[in-house]
Amino acid sequence: MKAVQFSDHGRRDVLEYGEFDDPEIERDEVLVDVKAGALNHLDVFTRMGLGALERLELEMPHIPGSDAAGVVDDVGTDVERFEPGDRVAVSAGLSCGHCEFCRDGDPTLCTDFQIIGEHVRGVHSEQAAVPAENLVPVPEGVDWETAAAAPLVFQTAWRMLVTRADLQPGESILVLGASGGVGHAAVQIADYLGAEVYATASTEEKLAYAADVGADHTINYDEENFADAIADATGGRGVDVVVDHIGKATWQDSLGSLAKGGTVVTCGATTGRNPETDLNSIFWNQLEVHGSTMGTPGEVDDVLELVWEGAFEPRIRKTLPMSDIQRAHEIIEEREGFGKVVVVPDSEL
Ligand code: ZN
C-alpha cells in the first residue's frame, strides 16, 4: 500500500508518500480502507519529534495521522462490533484499560495514554490497522471529509467545554484562535450550549468565518490586545471561560481576560509551553486552570452524534491528495485559512 511516512524527524521535507508494508491486523483490530484523513497541529509536533512532555521515540519509518475515516475491509477474530463494509471513523486515544484511572472510568487520564499517529503508527495511508475500540460507526449520508475531520478536534473541544469547564447557558466564553480546528469546534459547541461567545482571529476573513459558525463577538488580535477588548466589552468584568490552545503568546492575556472565579482551559501550546504566569492574579481572582486531552469514549460518542446529525460541522479549508502531504503540513504551520485540512489517498481521487 501507499502511506505518508517519514524516516527522520524534521522539517516538512522529511515527509513523503510512497510504498509501505501492508498492515496486518491483530485479533482486536480492524483493517480500514482509508477514504480520507485529516490533519491536526499534533501532526506537525509529531513530525518534529516533540511529544507533549518529552521527545518521541518512534519506530521508523513512521506513518503520521490521527484522524481518518473509511470502510472496514477485514476484522480480527475477537472483533464483534464491526464487519466488512461498515463505515467507520478513527478516534485516536489509546489507553491501557487496567490502570487506576482506566478502572475509574476516565481513560484519558490513563498513566500510559497514547495517541494513534503520535506514539504509534498513524492513519494517513491507503489502509490502516486500528483497534476496534478506536473506531466509531459513521452513518450513511455523512461524507468522508466530515467523518475524517471531526473526531479529534470535536472530542477535544467537547471535553474542554462540557466536562472540564462545565460551561453553562448564559455564561461567557472566549475562544482563542477560532479559525483553527479546535477553535472552530469550540465556537460551535459553546454556541450550542447557549453561551455568549467571544472569538479571536487574525484577519477579517477569519473573523467573519468565526461569526458564521457561532461567535457573537469577534476580536482581531493583530489590531488590538484581546484582554483589553474583553475588558471593554464586558465593562471590566471579564469572561467566565477562556479556551487557550495557543500557549506562550496568549497565556497572560488569557488569565487577564477572566472574570473573578473564571476558568481557563488549555489543550495545547502551539506557540510555546513555558509562558510567564502571574500567580497573584490566579489566587486573588480565584481562577481555575484546567488541562484537557482528547475525550473519553462516552464524550466521543456524544459529540460525534451531534456532528453526524449536522448540529456541528467541521469546515474543510482544503482537501489535498496524500502525495501533497508537505503542502498540507504547510497550511497548518502557516495558519492559512480556517477549519480542517483533509488528505485523500491518491488512488481515491
Ligand atoms: Zn490506563
Side-chain angles (χ1 to χ4, degrees):
M1 69 157 182
K2 286 200 162 168
V4 174
Q5 56 197 288
F6 55 80
S7 295
D8 294 297
H9 293 297
R11 298 166 64 86
R12 291 191 287 273
D13 58 8
V14 302
L15 292 162
E16 54 183 307
Y17 184 62
E19 282 300 322
F20 200 97
D21 289 344
D22 289 343
E24 291 179 14
I25 49 173
E26 308 281 343
R27 293 161 54 131
D28 62 343
E29 288 184 330
V30 171
L31 186 64
V32 179
D33 286 334
V34 174
K35 299 295 184 184
L39 277 86
N40 296 286
H41 211 97
L42 176 62
D43 296 297
V44 172
F45 286 125
T46 301
R47 192 197 73 217
M48 295 192 296
L50 304 174
L53 298 181
E54 52 206 15
R55 287 200 71 80
L56 296 171
E57 291 185 18
L58 299 174
E59 182 188 345
M60 296 290 187
H62 179 73
I63 300 176
S66 304
D67 271 328
V71 176
V72 173
D73 181 81
D74 195 8
V75 300
T77 51
D78 289 353
V79 175
E80 295 177 347
R81 285 176 57 222
F82 298 103
E83 57 184 50
D86 286 351
R87 294 160 54 90
V88 293
V90 175
S91 177
L94 293 167
S95 52
C96 76
H98 50 74
C99 72
E100 62 169 306
F101 299 100
C102 286
R103 289 201 313 273
D104 276 355
D106 193 342
T108 65
L109 293 174
C110 178
T111 52
D112 191 31
F113 192 71
Q114 296 189 312
I115 297 177
I116 292 172
E118 180 182 7
H119 304 96
V120 302
R121 192 166 288 165
V123 292
H124 288 168
S125 48
E126 288 181 321
Q127 291 197 306
V130 181
E133 63 182 28
N134 288 90
L135 294 175
V136 290
V138 177
E140 294 286 343
V142 175
D143 63 69
W144 292 122
E145 290 179 325
T146 297
L152 192 145
V153 293
F154 274 90
Q155 69 178 276
T156 299
W158 183 262
R159 181 175 174 83
M160 291 176 84
L161 271 54
V162 174
T163 309
R164 304 295 283 139
D166 191 26
L167 184 67
Q168 297 295 317
E171 288 189 328
S172 52
I173 181 171
L174 168 64
V175 178
L176 302 181
S179 61
V182 167
H184 94 306
V187 168
Q188 294 180 53
I189 293 167
D191 181 47
Y192 172 83
L193 294 171
E196 179 150 16
V197 186
Y198 297 82
T200 72
S202 59
T203 68
E204 292 309 310
E205 185 194 13
K206 290 177 178 178
L207 292 172
Y209 156 80
D212 190 42
V213 296
D216 301 298
H217 315 272
T218 58
I219 301 164
N220 186 330
Y221 66 75
D222 262 357
E223 290 182 353
E224 57 183 332
N225 175 275
F226 71 81
D228 291 344
I230 289 293
D232 286 346
T234 61
R237 177 187 182 275
V239 293
D240 298 301
V241 175
V242 174
V243 169
D244 190 334
H245 52 92
I246 315 290
K248 190 168 184 176
T250 52
W251 186 248
Q252 199 56 41
D253 283 334
S254 288
L255 296 176
S257 299
L258 285 170
K260 289 265 190 173
T263 301
V264 59
V265 196
T266 170
C267 70
T270 50
T271 60
R273 59 191 282 187
N274 287 310
E276 280 191 30
T277 297
D278 179 354
L279 289 173
N280 286 15
S281 75
I282 292 182
F283 83 74
W284 188 253
N285 295 318
Q286 303 193 57
L287 306 180
E288 297 191 46
V289 177
H290 287 205
S292 197
T293 290
M294 303 293 283
T296 64
E299 290 161 347
V300 171
D301 288 346
D302 287 349
V303 72
L304 289 184
E305 191 62 42
L306 289 162
V307 175
W308 305 155
E309 287 174 6
F312 305 138
E313 180 191 2
R315 294 291 180 95
I316 311 302
R317 64 174 122 173
K318 190 79 176 173
T319 298
L320 295 164
M322 284 189 179
S323 57
D324 266 351
I325 190 65
Q326 292 186 18
R327 172 66 185 137
H329 275 234
E330 182 180 22
I331 294 170
I332 298 283
E333 287 181 277
E334 300 301 325
R335 295 187 169 78
E336 297 175 26
F338 40 76
K340 299 290 294 176
V341 180
V342 168
V343 288
V344 175
D346 292 45
S347 55
E348 295 286 338
L349 287 172

